Amino acid sequence: MSAPSAHIRASLERRFGEIAATRMAGLPVINPALEVAALGFAPFGTGRLGVLVTPWFMNLVFLPEEDSGWETGEKVARDLPAGRVEFIVTRDEELGALLMCSLFSPMFEFAGQQAALETAQAVLAGILDSGEGDAPGGGGGGGEGGGGNVGEGGNGKERRDISRRVFLRGEAKGAT
């Protein structure tokens, strides 16, 4: 991955590591077998897309290039190769706006870090797979405030709305 992606991953890991050591320390939702890890965050559409693993959640995260003035808690849809995904806007005083889609929370079903990382990698690969053999990471990233729907632009594919449950069960390729 590029140096900017590595820097973004390191910033996320540092910040959420701090949160783990302070605000989340000792809470019963923590899986002590897990550590903070950020995967991906290559350029995608109008931002960067990756998966953030913490001892208390695993989220698909979209980091927008520019803050569109969204309110914390606002829902923002992004069209990804696997379909439309709904994110919730959150803000951090150091990182700014983050669009998050919860994949797992809490994280007790993971026995260790390796299992969590393998799942995160599979999620990222799956969400970037259109099921049409397209290369991941390219266009898309549309949704509200940037770009078009998957399937727009003359390729004849229709946009697919997918739920987190459908995606995680591996049923996303057939979702309509």
Side-chain angles (χ1 to χ4, degrees):
M1 284 268 157
S2 67
S5 295
H7 174 73
I8 289 168
R9 288 191 306 270
S11 295
L12 285 164
E13 289 172 355
R14 180 193 53 75
R15 180 65 179 138
F16 280 87
E18 290 173 358
I19 293 169
T22 57
R23 290 188 269 177
M24 298 303 292
L27 293 181
V29 296
I30 296 294
N31 180 342
L34 302 180
E35 300 174 0
V36 174
L39 291 83
F41 295 98
F44 186 85
T46 59
R48 289 179 176 266
L49 183 69
V51 176
L52 182 62
V53 175
T54 72
W56 64 97
F57 72 70
M58 181 186 302
N59 285 354
L60 183 65
V61 179
F62 184 81
L63 301 173
E65 289 174 1
E66 294 183 21
D67 188 338
S68 294
W70 299 298
E71 297 290 326
T72 299
E74 185 176 344
K75 294 178 181 179
V76 177
R78 290 282 172 213
D79 293 318
L80 304 177
R84 178 168 267 206
V85 176
E86 189 172 84
F87 293 85
I88 297 177
V89 177
T90 186
R91 295 188 179 280
D92 179 81
E93 58 269 11
E94 291 183 27
L95 299 171
L98 299 96
L99 281 60
M100 296 199 170
C101 175
S102 179
L103 301 170
F104 295 93
S105 182
M107 297 286 284
F108 295 119
E109 61 194 273
F110 295 98
Q113 188 74 5
Q114 189 61 36
L117 294 176
E118 288 172 3
T119 300
Q121 290 168 340
V123 165
L124 194 53
I127 204 75
L128 292 173
D129 180 7
S130 68
E132 302 291 325
D134 297 335
E144 297 171 14
N149 291 332
V150 170
E152 288 183 0
N155 66 4
K157 293 189 293 181
E158 294 182 21
R159 180 187 50 79
R160 297 171 287 157
D161 290 340
I162 59 172
S163 70
R164 177 180 63 203
R165 182 166 299 178
V166 165
F167 175 73
L168 291 173
R169 287 183 178 161
E171 301 166 358
K173 293 203 187 329
T176 57

